Amino acid sequence: MKVRILESILSANDGVATANRRLLDSRAVYCINLMASPGAGKTTFILAMARHLGGRLRMGVIEADLASRVDADKVAAAGLPVLQINTDGGCHLNAPQVTAALETMPLDDIDLLIIENVGNLVCTAGYDLGEHLKLVLASVPEGDDKPYKYPNMFGVVQAVVVTKTDLKPYIPFSSTEFAKALRGINPDAPLFELSATTGEGLDRWCEWLVKRLG
Ligand SMILES: Nc1nc2c(ncn2[C@@H]2O[C@H](COP(=O)(O)OP(=O)(O)OP(=O)(O)O)[C@@H](O)[C@H]2O)c(=O)[nH]1
Ligand SMILES: [Mg+2]
C-alpha cells in the first residue's frame, strides 16, 4: 500500500515536472537542479558562477530552505533575479513548488536558472523538478567516500562538482578515491573540482556548461 501511494505521488510529480520543462524550453531557459548537503557550498558556488559568467549568460535563481531568506538575500545583493521558497519542514522541493516559482520568475530575461534545492543528499534525489541537469555538489570537508553512502544521489545526477578544493592541504581528501567511489555508481557523469572561494577550476566547469547550453 505504502509503495503504491509513493508511486502515485511520484508519478503526479513527474507530470508537473514535464510541464515545467516544456515551459522552460519554450522560453529558452536552461535549468539546473543543484543538490548537496547543508553547508556544502551551494550558494557560494552560485555566486561564483554568476561572477564568472556575468556578461555571457543571464542567470536567475530559485532558493529553497526550510526557513529564512538568508540565501535569497545574498543572491539578490549580487543583482540576480531570485525567489525564495520556504518548505516549512519539507526536506526537498517538488515540481508544483517550482511551477509556482516559475510564474514570478522573469523567464524572458534569463538564460540559466539554478534551483538551489534544500540541503540534503537523500530525498532531493527522488524528485524531478523539470530541470535539464541534475547536479550534485560535494565538498572536500565532507570526505571522499560520500558516493558510497549516497548512491541514489550520486547515481541520478548528470554532473558532479567537488568544491572547496582550497581546503585540500588541511583535510584528508583523495580525488582518486572520490572518483573511484563515483565511477562504481555513475560511470559517465563528468566530474569537476573547483574552489568557489579562490575561483580555481571554475573555468573548466563554466566552459562545459556554456557548451551544453549551446
Ligand atoms: N574554503 C572554502 N569555503 C567555502 C567554499 N564554498 C563555500 N564555502 C564556505 O562554506 C560555508 C557554507 O557555504 P554556503 O554557500 O552557504 O553553503 P550552502 O550549501 O549554500 O549551505 P545551505 O544553503 O545552508 O545548505 C560558508 O562559510 C562558505 O563561505 C570554498 O570553495 N572554499
Ligand atoms: Mg545555500
Side-chain angles (χ1 to χ4, degrees):
M1 187 59 162
K2 256 192 197 164
V3 172
R4 253 191 252 141
I5 290 170
L6 183 63
E7 274 172 3
S8 125
I9 289 171
L10 286 176
S11 116
N13 183 80
D14 284 355
V16 179
T18 301
N20 288 347
R21 197 172 290 111
R22 272 200 208 112
L23 171 66
L24 291 162
D25 286 342
S26 73
R27 310 291 271 276
V29 176
Y30 188 85
C31 180
I32 298 178
N33 178 2
L34 174 61
M35 297 172 284
S37 40
K42 297 177 290 300
T43 310
T44 310
F45 172 64
I46 291 169
L47 295 174
M49 278 178 68
R51 284 194 297 274
H52 198 85
L53 290 169
R56 289 172 78 188
L57 284 182
R58 299 166 303 166
M59 279 173 56
V61 180
I62 295 174
E63 285 292 345
D65 284 292
L66 272 66
S68 91
R69 285 195 46 85
V70 172
D71 283 356
D73 288 346
K74 285 183 194 163
V75 172
L80 304 184
V82 60
L83 192 106
Q84 177 80 52
I85 298 174
N86 284 144
T87 58
D88 198 21
C91 61
H92 62 86
L93 278 177
N94 59 40
Q97 288 169 316
V98 172
T99 309
L102 291 179
E103 280 165 18
T104 59
M105 263 283 147
L107 295 180
D108 290 332
D109 300 334
I110 61 180
D111 308 303
L112 174 63
L113 175 66
I114 302 191
I115 303 174
E116 179 178 338
N117 215 319
V118 179
N120 174 345
L121 285 176
V122 185
C123 23
T124 48
Y127 286 78
D128 185 1
L129 303 180
E131 72 281 327
H132 299 98
L133 182 83
K134 284 189 203 299
L135 172 67
V136 66
L137 189 69
S139 67
V140 164
E142 291 168 70
D144 50 30
D145 57 358
K146 289 303 159 289
Y148 291 124
K149 297 185 176 187
Y150 300 94
N152 289 353
M153 173 59 75
F154 284 91
V156 80
V157 294
Q158 290 97 34
V160 179
V161 171
V162 173
T163 187
K164 306 194 188 181
T165 53
D166 58 295
L167 297 179
K168 275 187 173 183
Y170 316 105
I171 288 167
F173 179 97
S174 158
S175 297
T176 312
E177 283 306 314
F178 184 89
K180 193 173 133 204
L182 176 66
R183 292 306 170 217
I185 293 154
N186 191 330
D188 299 323
L191 171 60
F192 302 88
E193 288 204 357
L194 56 85
S195 164
T197 304
T198 67
E200 186 196 7
L202 203 60
D203 239 28
R204 199 179 143 245
W205 154 250
C206 286
E207 288 317 310
W208 180 85
L209 181 64
V210 167
K211 269 198 202 128
R212 216 174 149 100
L213 263 74

